[in-house]
Amino acid sequence: VSMSEKLPSLDTIRVEIDGIDAEIQRLISARARCAQQVAEVKKATEPDATVFYRPEREAQVLNKVMARNEGPLHPEEMARLFREIMSACLALEHPLRIAFLGPNGTFTQTAALKHFGHSVETVPLANIDDVFREVAAGGVNYGVVPVENSSEGMVSHTLDSFLDSNLRIIGEVELRIHHHLLVSEGTQLKSISRIYSHQQSLAQCRKWLDANFPKAERVAVSSNAEAARRIKGEWHSAAIAGETAAELYGLNKLHERIEDNPNNTTRFLIIGRESVARCGDDKSSIIVSVRNNAAGALYSLLEPFYRRGINLTRIESRPSKHDVWTYVFFIDFEGHQDDPLVKEVMAELEPRMRQVKWLGSYPRAVL
């Protein structure tokens, strides 16, 4: 018997797919009704509640999805599908409004949609300070801001914004940054003499540009999305930007993934006004200022974490806004502020330090 005779017919497979699709649709509708019931219960028990998004609960659900995945889809691909289902269910009551560092088409918008799903309303703002102010004023539910890039380091403006803000970090998202060389329909490829992009993106693609467009003028603009917008009317120009900008402005990808480091990743923070409960796989962020610049001040800050086996994932110093030649330290570490060991460290640090400010405890990035 030949192999083709053993295989089911295409019609048989398609009938099976149709049946599976109908069952998936029925179950999604059932889940959406459960989400509506959750909202009704919360309204009854929390009359003042206006937002029913719970970062810790969402992280737990997505981690379970990935843990029980049996393939052939990759666990992260399966989690992304569930993220969109959860986003649509949450939006049944009222879509979340998410501010991000704009304009439309930036990697920050991509990060916002990756974290919250596509059933939210994204609100582009001109700078990081505006994102903080809009979240603090209640004009949006949450904000998304970049904090560090694996190639270019920290985004100091984001760190400085936390110094004078009472907002909290309620989540994080990591985004693999892929840069593409984009052109518009009327571009004459042999005549490309100018390439627009953000200064960081030009730096992240420097070697590729040196090898492929050594004579082209490199023009730094405010964002990759602005670069994509500019080339719509220029027949001799190209832009370096991401997938979202290419789709938004209807551009063609002349070359894909031109970044020098294939592992180039940017971490974004989700900022909000409330605290987040433990999810079981948490991180925390604090700002600490030492009493003086005496020898051993940094050691006295870090030693309590080491003694209790708490892993520090990042430490960054920034000039203090209040005293000349003094510094504050931004520290990320594993654990939640309600964990007993973390409480012990904080109790030990507070009398030693000039100031300890909690920025938040939040679920580790799932996707």
Side-chain angles (χ1 to χ4, degrees):
V1 180
S2 66
M3 181 62 68
S4 60
E5 292 176 342
K6 292 181 180 179
L7 293 173
S9 68
L10 281 178
D11 287 341
T12 301
I13 297 172
R14 286 166 179 162
V15 168
E16 184 176 2
I17 288 175
D18 288 344
I20 293 171
D21 286 347
E23 181 65 8
I24 290 173
Q25 187 172 352
R26 184 188 68 78
L27 291 173
I28 290 175
S29 296
R31 192 193 193 284
R33 286 190 289 270
C34 285
Q36 288 179 315
Q37 290 177 339
V38 167
E40 291 168 2
V41 170
K42 286 186 175 180
K43 284 180 180 177
T45 56
E46 304 172 36
D48 296 330
T50 56
V51 176
F52 305 116
Y53 173 69
R54 291 291 179 267
E56 73 282 3
R57 169 62 179 160
E58 187 164 289
Q60 290 169 344
V61 171
L62 293 176
N63 279 319
K64 288 178 181 177
V65 167
M66 294 175 71
R68 65 173 177 251
N69 184 61
E70 297 179 352
L73 291 179
H74 190 277
E76 289 192 4
E77 191 64 39
M78 184 66 76
R80 276 192 284 271
L81 292 172
F82 270 80
R83 170 82 80 192
E84 293 299 333
I85 292 172
M86 295 161 70
S87 178
C89 290
L90 188 62
L92 283 173
E93 294 302 315
H94 185 71
L96 294 177
R97 283 172 52 83
I98 312 298
F100 68 94
L101 178 60
N104 285 319
T106 61
F107 285 114
T108 312
Q109 184 182 32
T110 303
L113 295 173
K114 179 182 179 183
H115 186 81
F116 288 100
H118 286 69
S119 296
V120 299
E121 179 187 352
T122 53
V123 181
L125 296 175
N127 55 62
I128 289 171
D129 286 341
D130 288 345
V131 176
F132 273 78
R133 278 194 290 268
E134 193 69 6
V135 176
V140 295
N141 301 114
Y142 303 104
V144 181
V145 290
V147 69
E148 63 178 319
N149 177 266
S150 59
S151 299
E152 301 299 311
M154 302 307 302
V155 180
S156 58
H157 202 146
T158 295
L159 298 184
D160 291 343
S161 294
F162 278 112
L163 292 174
D164 298 321
S165 174
N166 292 321
L167 293 178
R168 292 182 173 271
I169 302 171
I170 64 105
E172 65 172 3
V173 57
E174 295 179 352
L175 187 68
R176 185 67 63 85
I177 302 298
H178 294 306
H179 295 301
H180 312 305
L181 190 72
L182 308 179
V183 294
S184 61
E185 288 289 345
T187 301
Q188 297 183 18
L189 304 183
K190 293 181 180 181
S191 302
I192 292 176
S193 59
R194 182 180 298 163
I195 297 175
Y196 294 103
S197 196
H198 187 273
Q199 183 176 353
Q200 278 201 349
S201 299
L202 290 171
Q204 292 166 15
C205 303
R206 186 182 69 253
K207 293 180 181 178
W208 189 92
L209 290 172
D210 288 346
N212 293 275
F213 287 89
K215 296 181 180 180
E217 178 188 8
R218 302 172 195 180
V219 181
V221 293
S222 59
S223 70
N224 291 345
E226 170 62 17
R229 186 192 68 79
R230 284 199 182 194
I231 68 168
K232 287 293 289 182
E234 297 189 11
W235 58 270
H236 65 293
S237 299
I240 296 175
E243 194 77 36
T244 303
E247 294 174 359
L248 180 65
Y249 293 102
L251 302 175
N252 298 323
K253 286 185 280 188
L254 184 59
H255 297 282
E256 297 187 26
R257 302 191 177 191
I258 64 173
E259 61 275 5
D260 297 332
N261 179 2
N263 296 317
N264 184 26
T265 301
T266 295
R267 177 174 172 242
F268 300 82
L269 296 178
I270 317 299
I271 55 175
R273 297 181 295 277
E274 70 273 9
S275 298
V276 178
R278 295 162 71 177
C279 82
D281 186 15
D282 301 285
K283 291 173 68 175
S284 293
S285 298
I286 59 174
I287 301 175
V288 179
S289 58
V290 297
R291 292 192 179 279
N292 52 55
N293 289 328
L298 182 57
Y299 173 81
S300 67
L301 166 60
L302 301 181
E303 189 273 337
F305 290 96
Y306 170 75
R307 187 163 12 102
R308 289 171 177 83
I310 296 176
N311 184 37
L312 302 181
T313 58
R314 179 176 64 93
I315 179 168
E316 187 80 14
S317 64
R318 292 291 298 155
S320 169
K321 290 185 176 181
H322 305 293
D323 300 305
V324 178
W325 304 120
T326 61
Y327 295 84
V328 296
F329 295 94
F330 291 81
I331 301 175
D332 293 344
F333 57 90
E334 294 178 350
H336 191 279
Q337 65 188 80
D338 292 336
D339 294 345
L341 285 179
V342 173
K343 288 183 176 180
E344 288 180 17
V345 169
M346 292 301 106
E348 190 171 336
L349 284 182
E350 285 179 356
R352 296 187 189 182
M353 301 296 128
R354 183 173 182 175
Q355 182 186 25
V356 179
K357 180 180 181 180
W358 274 100
L359 297 183
S361 293
Y362 47 92
R364 184 194 301 271
V366 178
L367 295 175

